[in-house]
Amino acid sequence: MNIIVCIKQVPDTTEIRLDPVKGTMIREGVPSIMNPDDKGGLEMALQLKDLYGAHVTVLTMGPHQAEAILREAFAMGADKAILLTDKKFAGADTLATSHTLAGALRSLDYDLIITGRQAIDGDTAQVGPQIAEHLDLPQVTYVENLQYDGDKQITVRKSIEDGYQLLEVEIPCVLTVLSSSNEARYMSVRGIMEAFEKEIEIWNSDRITINADKLGLNGSPTRVAKSFTKGLKPASQLYEVSPAEAVDIIINKLKEKHIVN
Amino acid sequence: MVKSNYKDIYVFVEQRGGIIQNVALELLGKARELADALNEKVCAVLLGHAISNKAQECIYYGADTVFCVDAPELETYLTEPYAQAICRIVNDNCPGILLLGATTIGRDLGPRVSARLETGLTADCTALAISDKGDFLMTRPAFGGNLMATIICKEHRPQMSTVRPGVMQKGLRDTQRKGKIENVSIQFDHSKINKIRIIDTVKQEKTRIDITEARVLVSGGRGVGNEEGFKLLRQLAKTIDAQVSSSRAMVDAGVMPHECQVGQTGKTVRPDIYFALGISGAIQHLAGMEESKYIIAINKDKFAPIFQIADLGIVGDVKQIVPLLTEKLKK
């Protein structure tokens, strides 16, 4: 079984702070990490490797520094890593990104393509389903777990608002996975040693099967017209009082708002 | 593609088990407002099986036309038959704008459809507007809610957007409103549909209540700490007929279930009163609750960012104040 996991390097958005005076985003010093849902997807693939000896390839699009997450994936147990990097890829929205990844996937063998549900920098959850459409494959999003039924079929559990669904899916297919679906393994010591000996394949736009007009900024239907932070509201009434006094202040407010009589 | 051929605002009316979801009514309300600004029509796209009787409802909430596809293939949501139905309606009618709810269904269907139509999609919008020049402006949070971005889709049609539930206001239900219902029949491509089969749909225990519907929310964060701390919050909530919600930290810690999480990766809420108890106010949390009408924050740290958006701030220990408050309210 060949599994390809699409992963992304993202800034750890939980570490981002706003400048308290200017209200602007402070990007400096924010660490870059493997996107959490993608790590959940990689773990799912590695579990299939443990069970059935699947061959796991990780694929990312990004600048050279994104090699860091590919090394991390090697150290967790991935067999092959590909970095898609080219100036022509820059400025891509989700549609252009999905065309780029699909272009690379067309030159690879796969039974399963796994992506994270969404990346924490954009939270769009779009690239996985868009890849599935370009490759004319069935998709299941919000996957919690997976069972290989043998032959050309898997059974997946998909999370929905008020419970879950069990779906039988023909492979090859595209799955988008939740980070909460499993506990991603740590890099092993041997894995870390080997990670730096393994070779990352670097692919540019000549290596993928897609028209150049679908790539990067030119291939992106959407544009950011402007971006802004929400700014700061005037400070609230702040009370540093005893618990009993605090209780009275709150109750008065609740009365004023007709929450209590 | 000739851009001027594309007009009117289409809303995907999400139904589950034949029940129209609130987010669809919210979108019809917003679409009405945008359509009036553009002098265009609002069209509802209603897909399902034995749902024709719901079409009238879409008109009451703002639609001028309802495209209704009633077919057994659409009984329970699956990506492929729904994508085929929507794409057929889009290709036949050329909408300028197509809106979907940012639910698990809308976020599964939206990108699939946008890729099939080769157009842009902006996810999880919190504001939609028409500019003076007539451009469709879609605003959404990015970087975990740290940044807001306004997105445009200039040359591709339809301009697609998913919108978070609870962000837009639904319009008044007006039973006098008149509109047209068009039943559309579709030849499905079953070779594609048959690749996925539903074996079972399991509803999980409804111990929970939808926090987005609550008038008062008692929300706890790291400062509440654990199960014991949340017991205090539940007692308070019970006395004032409120629901309990939480920050991401407490969900990650396994103390609270994900459906009670408020924030960028959780739910957007706008209750009359929001108690932020032991919540420091990380931006991704604020993104989900800042529209609350009145925010009461209690936190030990007087420099906690939550105090910047709270209406009433108390510097103190949640574990001391909350039990006292509950006790006094009971009297």
Side-chain angles (χ1 to χ4, degrees):
Chain A
M1 192 190 317
N2 285 307
I3 307 176
I4 303 177
V5 187
C6 300
I7 63 178
K8 184 182 185 186
Q9 188 179 47
V10 293
D12 186 349
T13 53
T14 56
E15 298 292 326
I16 294 178
R17 296 281 173 269
L18 287 191
D19 183 313
V21 182
K22 289 181 280 185
T24 52
M25 203 166 85
I26 304 170
R27 292 184 195 229
E28 290 81 46
V30 177
S32 290
I33 56 171
M34 189 191 305
N35 179 55
D37 281 344
D38 301 352
K39 206 177 215 181
L42 176 56
E43 174 60 35
M44 194 172 275
L46 293 172
Q47 286 178 8
L48 289 170
K49 179 179 173 176
D50 295 343
L51 283 169
Y52 306 107
H55 183 271
V56 177
T57 301
V58 282
L59 173 67
T60 193
M61 177 183 105
H64 278 280
Q65 67 174 51
E67 284 187 12
I69 58 165
L70 297 175
R71 299 265 175 227
E72 185 182 349
F74 272 147
M76 286 172 67
D79 301 295
K80 176 173 164 167
I82 301 167
L83 171 67
L84 304 174
T85 194
D86 194 314
K87 275 186 194 143
K88 290 179 187 154
F89 301 154
D93 71 358
T94 62
L95 191 67
T97 302
S98 65
H99 273 305
T100 311
L101 290 165
L105 287 160
R106 285 192 185 96
S107 347
L108 295 163
D109 288 327
Y110 50 76
D111 300 291
L112 270 184
I113 296 170
I114 296 179
T115 74
R117 170 198 45 167
Q118 63 191 36
I120 57 172
D121 53 350
D123 289 321
T124 71
Q126 286 173 192
V127 172
Q130 288 174 332
I131 290 172
E133 174 62 21
H134 301 321
L135 300 175
D136 200 16
L137 297 174
Q139 76 188 46
V140 184
T141 52
Y142 295 84
V143 171
E144 293 179 324
N145 67 44
L146 170 165
Q147 182 196 312
Y148 178 51
D149 303 336
D151 207 10
K152 282 278 159 193
Q153 186 180 294
I154 55 172
T155 301
V156 299
R157 178 168 150 155
K158 172 189 168 81
S159 165
I160 54 177
E161 269 91 354
D162 48 5
Y164 63 89
Q165 276 180 330
L166 292 176
L167 302 165
E168 268 177 10
V169 189
E170 208 177 292
I171 57 172
C173 67
V174 175
L175 307 176
T176 84
V177 173
L178 300 167
S179 63
S180 56
S181 65
N182 53 44
E183 189 95 26
R185 67 194 60 192
Y186 289 105
M187 298 180 274
S188 68
V189 175
R190 201 174 124 217
I192 295 170
M193 310 269 278
E194 287 173 359
F196 288 90
E197 288 159 18
K198 286 186 182 167
E199 195 190 340
I200 292 172
E201 291 186 25
I202 313 279
W203 291 15
N204 64 14
S205 59
D206 297 334
R207 186 74 174 72
I208 68 173
T209 316
I210 187 77
N211 286 336
D213 62 358
K214 301 246 184 250
L215 301 177
L217 191 62
N218 288 334
S220 299
T222 62
R223 291 273 191 287
V224 177
K226 64 167 179 172
S227 64
F228 54 97
T229 54
K230 285 183 236 172
L232 307 165
K233 244 176 76 167
S236 55
Q237 287 171 277
L238 199 57
Y239 296 93
E240 291 189 72
V241 293
S242 72
E245 285 170 285
V247 164
D248 289 337
I249 294 168
I250 294 171
I251 289 179
N252 282 336
K253 212 24 113 176
L254 293 178
K255 281 182 180 161
E256 195 184 306
K257 301 274 170 195
H258 306 291
I259 301 297
V260 296
N261 297 316
Chain B
M1 191 201 72
V2 184
K3 245 167 58 175
S4 57
N5 290 347
Y6 287 76
K7 64 179 173 60
D8 298 333
I9 302 180
Y10 282 52
V11 173
F12 167 64
V13 176
E14 180 175 332
Q15 53 83 19
R16 288 184 224 147
I19 297 163
I20 294 181
Q21 300 297 300
N22 262 328
V23 67
L25 304 177
E26 292 161 14
L27 287 179
L28 285 171
K30 188 66 193 180
R32 184 73 264 158
E33 196 186 308
L34 298 170
D36 291 343
L38 289 165
N39 203 14
E40 292 184 357
K41 285 193 303 184
V42 173
C43 301
V45 179
L46 178 61
L47 312 179
H49 188 41
I51 34 87
S52 312
N53 58 338
K54 304 286 176 190
Q56 195 61 45
E57 242 359 77
C58 302
I59 294 172
Y60 293 161
Y61 278 98
D64 298 302
T65 303
V66 184
F67 293 100
C68 182
V69 188
D70 201 319
E73 287 88 346
L74 301 174
E75 166 121 38
T76 308
Y77 173 80
L78 276 174
T79 318
E80 187 54 34
Y82 272 66
Q84 288 184 18
I86 291 212
C87 288
R88 163 70 196 284
I89 288 171
V90 167
N91 288 330
D92 286 356
N93 299 283
C94 302
I97 292 173
L98 173 59
L99 307 177
L100 304 91
T103 58
T104 55
I105 289 177
R107 297 173 104 236
D108 182 86
L109 181 60
R112 186 88 197 195
V113 168
S114 78
R116 196 164 293 184
L117 300 170
E118 282 289 331
T119 190
L121 168 63
T122 305
D124 292 6
C125 293
T126 53
L128 300 174
I130 306 293
S131 76
D132 300 340
K133 286 185 271 173
D135 287 332
F136 182 43
L137 307 177
M138 300 168 273
T139 299
R140 67 180 308 268
F143 290 101
N146 290 281
L147 197 69
M148 301 300 290
T150 300
I151 311 287
I152 51 171
C153 176
K154 266 219 131 91
E155 302 301 331
H156 293 71
R157 294 293 180 271
Q159 306 163 84
M160 290 180 63
S161 154
T162 64
V163 178
R164 296 191 69 148
V167 174
M168 304 297 172
Q169 304 268 22
K170 60 181 170 194
L172 288 177
R173 183 171 183 271
D174 177 1
T175 53
Q176 302 300 309
R177 271 190 60 84
K178 296 277 180 288
K180 196 171 70 174
I181 298 170
E182 256 186 60
N183 291 302
V184 181
S185 69
I186 289 198
Q187 289 288 343
F188 288 98
D189 176 354
H190 286 98
S191 68
K192 285 179 147 199
I193 292 175
N194 294 342
K195 290 182 175 176
I196 300 190
R197 265 187 341 113
I198 301 174
I199 311 171
D200 202 2
T201 302
V202 180
K203 294 216 169 179
Q204 271 165 331
E205 257 327 285
K206 278 263 183 186
T207 45
R208 69 197 195 195
I209 295 138
D210 188 356
I211 57 167
T212 63
E213 303 280 332
R215 199 173 148 227
V216 182
L217 274 178
V218 176
S219 204
R222 230 184 279 267
V224 176
N226 51 23
E227 202 57 60
E228 283 298 301
F230 269 90
K231 234 178 240 169
L232 302 176
L233 267 53
R234 284 201 186 88
Q235 286 159 0
L236 170 61
K238 207 175 154 198
T239 358
I240 51 174
D241 201 18
Q243 304 301 333
V244 178
S245 55
S246 93
S247 70
R248 189 168 93 182
M250 290 293 96
V251 173
D252 288 348
V255 176
M256 289 289 284
H258 182 256
E259 62 261 24
C260 294
Q261 181 189 327
V262 172
Q264 170 71 6
T265 53
K267 293 198 166 125
T268 305
V269 297
R270 44 162 62 182
D272 289 345
I273 306 274
Y274 187 88
F275 281 94
L277 305 177
I279 292 176
S280 64
I283 304 215
Q284 62 263 31
H285 184 77
L286 304 185
M289 48 65 79
E290 65 192 343
E291 299 294 324
S292 302
K293 292 189 188 69
Y294 196 83
I295 299 166
I296 301 174
I298 306 179
N299 203 297
K300 275 186 193 167
D301 173 11
K302 70 178 194 183
F303 299 108
I306 191 74
F307 288 131
Q308 283 170 10
I309 73 145
D311 298 283
L312 171 61
I314 308 275
V315 181
D317 185 352
V318 168
K319 286 174 194 154
Q320 284 183 357
I321 297 171
V322 170
L324 266 180
L325 179 62
T326 309
E327 200 179 310
K328 190 144 187 194
L329 282 166
K330 275 185 184 159
K331 282 177 190 163

